[in-house]
């Protein structure tokens, strides 16, 4: 039987541990398939999608910076991808249509939001940093929980304004003002690529914040970004994106293979070993 091929497209990709995750499960569930990194420029996206049409590739994940840019190349955008206009999982359906779905929303919900008390959560003031593809997933998940106060801040304000068009009740904070705004919020969620392996990190440091603040970073590699370390030193509760990464992968694996893979300790240990 011919080996099935999967992969992840993005740039840069050196941080991605998706191959470790999916190849672990392929082996565990005895599926003849492999998963690799596909570092691609924007003008190569069409060619990669054509490979899926020709069944040379069975499916791909999409990461920074193509979660939105890939949409025009797809035939169908479904479920959370439709709600967020952000795609991280692609495959060919039974009618030979290229489908774009989103498993980041599920990942964020199960790694973070569903672990918190709903009645408490609804009252929280949440500051979301960034305005990329994953930001849309995070804001959509927060919206589903009916959080009353969501702030967004992004270096390029235009992109935050675009997100506000989709979610009008969010409030935009100037990027220059985030370190002041932090005083007032209960949860900060970093959805930018600042601090990711191979990327630059925050220049700003948050000086004023509640002692009960929770800092959530969607980045999982490195396990501790500079910002996360800073907060940890100040005894602030911090969480990285490792669980979100594993949960989004679990749903993607299900969409591709119709098997819901187990999240066992062996897998988590294997991934942690590969982190920077
Ligand atoms: P994705 O769609 O996969 O989330 P993206 O659209 O490239 O990827 O999003 C990356 C996010 O990190 C953006 O919010 C980006 O800010 P800009 O919209 O201003 O580009 C943010 N980001 C990346 N590098 C940054 C930096 N040096 N300073 C501030 N924000 C940065």
């Amino acid at each position: 039987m011919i080996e099935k091929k999967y992969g992840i497209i993005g740039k840069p990709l050196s941080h991605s541990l998706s191959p470790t995750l999916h190849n672990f499960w392929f082996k565990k569930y005895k599926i003849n398939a492999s998963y690799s990194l596909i570092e691609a420029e924007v003008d190569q996206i069409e060619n990669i999608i054509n490979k899926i049409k020709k069944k040379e590739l069975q499916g791909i994940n999409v990461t920074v910076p193509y979660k939105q840019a890939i949409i025009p190349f797809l035939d169908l955008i479904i479920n959370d991808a439709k709600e967020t206009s952000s795609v991280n999982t692609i495959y060919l359906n039974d009618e030979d249509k290229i489908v774009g779905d989103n498993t980041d929303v599920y990942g964020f919900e199960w790694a973070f939001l569903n672990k918190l008390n709903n009645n408490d959560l609804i009252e929280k003031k949440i500051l979301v940093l960034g305005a990329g593809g994953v930001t849309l997933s995070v804001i959509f998940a927060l919206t589903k929980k009916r959080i009353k106060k969501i702030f967004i801040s992004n270096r390029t304000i235009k992109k935050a304004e675009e997100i506000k068009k989709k979610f009008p009740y969010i409030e935009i904070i100037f990027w220059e003002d985030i370190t002041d705004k932090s005083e007032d919020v209960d949860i900060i969620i970093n959805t930018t690529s600042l601090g990711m392996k191979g990327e630059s990190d925050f220049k700003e440091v948050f000086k004023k914040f509640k002692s009960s603040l929770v800092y959530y970073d969607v980045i999982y590699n490195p396990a501790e970004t500079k910002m996360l370390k800073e907060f940890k030193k100040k005894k602030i509760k911090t969480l990285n994106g490792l669980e979100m990464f594993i949960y989004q992968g679990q749903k993607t694996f299900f969409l591709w293979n119709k098997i819901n893979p187990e999240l066992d300790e062996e897998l988590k240990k294997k991934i942690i070993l590969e982190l920077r």
Side-chain angles (χ1 to χ4, degrees):
M1 208 179 84
I2 301 166
E3 186 187 64
K4 290 183 177 174
K5 289 197 164 54
Y6 296 87
I8 179 165
I9 75 162
K11 196 186 171 203
L13 275 180
S14 61
H15 70 279
S16 176
L17 293 183
S18 287
T20 308
L21 190 65
H22 287 280
N23 288 326
F24 176 90
W25 284 328
F26 287 145
K27 200 170 161 205
K28 179 167 176 176
Y29 295 100
K30 301 190 169 51
I31 296 169
N32 184 21
S34 67
Y35 187 110
S36 54
L37 298 177
I38 310 169
E39 189 143 328
E41 299 296 334
V42 72
D43 59 4
Q44 293 171 285
I45 292 179
E46 192 169 7
N47 186 27
I48 293 164
I49 296 295
N50 280 333
K51 284 190 179 169
I52 304 176
K53 279 197 183 131
K54 288 191 273 180
K55 302 185 181 170
E56 290 168 21
L57 254 176
Q58 274 60 48
I60 53 169
N61 277 134
V62 186
T63 188
V64 188
Y66 302 138
K67 287 181 180 183
Q68 293 165 279
I70 201 139
I71 290 179
F73 300 98
L74 311 177
D75 298 323
L76 277 178
I77 310 295
I78 62 166
N79 304 332
D80 287 344
K82 202 168 161 187
E83 301 286 350
T84 58
S85 309
S86 170
V87 167
N88 81 325
T89 302
I90 293 174
Y91 57 91
L92 197 67
N93 74 5
D94 296 340
E95 283 131 33
D96 281 354
K97 298 261 186 260
I98 303 275
V99 178
D101 203 339
N102 172 313
T103 70
D104 287 331
V105 174
Y106 171 91
F108 182 63
E109 285 171 339
W110 287 96
F112 186 49
L113 295 182
N114 292 348
K115 291 182 178 166
L116 305 172
N117 177 306
N118 246 336
N119 294 334
D120 285 349
L121 192 58
I122 213 163
E123 300 296 335
K124 300 285 185 222
K125 289 184 183 168
I126 304 187
L127 170 61
V128 180
L129 305 175
V134 76
T135 319
L136 289 156
S137 299
V138 164
I139 291 186
F140 179 58
L142 295 175
T143 301
K144 284 209 279 180
K145 292 284 183 198
R146 292 192 256 138
I147 313 277
K148 287 191 189 142
K149 208 72 229 167
I150 305 171
F151 302 98
I152 182 173
S153 190
N154 192 49
R155 176 182 58 178
T156 312
I157 194 158
K158 239 179 127 211
K159 280 169 72 182
E161 285 164 355
E162 283 303 313
I163 294 189
K164 190 175 162 71
K165 279 187 196 156
K166 214 172 169 62
F167 303 102
Y169 38 80
I170 63 175
E171 201 176 306
I172 298 175
I173 306 287
F174 289 116
W175 188 246
E176 300 73 44
D177 294 343
I178 52 174
T179 46
D180 291 328
K181 189 68 203 170
S182 57
E183 191 175 19
D184 194 32
V185 298
D186 302 295
I187 302 174
I188 297 177
I189 303 170
N190 176 40
T191 70
T192 74
S193 43
L194 282 165
M196 190 189 281
K197 194 170 171 182
E199 298 281 294
S200 54
D201 211 321
F202 280 95
K203 282 192 211 75
E204 305 81 2
V205 179
F206 292 89
K207 290 183 200 81
K208 296 180 246 165
F209 43 81
K210 293 182 181 178
S211 59
S212 59
L213 175 75
V214 176
Y215 180 77
Y216 186 96
D217 204 323
V218 300
I219 294 171
Y220 64 89
N221 196 7
E224 289 185 353
T225 60
K226 192 180 93 194
M227 183 65 86
L228 195 141
K229 273 191 196 132
E230 286 285 334
F231 274 123
K232 217 172 174 179
K233 258 195 269 169
K234 291 167 182 154
K235 305 272 182 281
I236 292 299
K237 183 173 165 58
T238 58
L239 286 147
N240 71 13
L242 183 63
E243 292 226 339
M244 176 174 172
F245 164 68
I246 295 175
Y247 277 111
Q248 66 74 33
Q250 182 188 43
K251 185 167 174 188
T252 292
F253 194 87
F254 179 79
L255 292 175
W256 287 340
N257 305 293
K258 300 291 170 270
I259 291 171
N260 196 27
E262 206 187 350
L263 306 183
D264 54 33
E265 278 308 305
E266 189 192 342
L267 170 64
K268 216 167 163 181
K269 269 191 215 141
K270 198 175 164 69
I271 288 171
I272 289 169
L273 275 177
E274 288 191 30
L275 295 177
R276 188 160 66 162

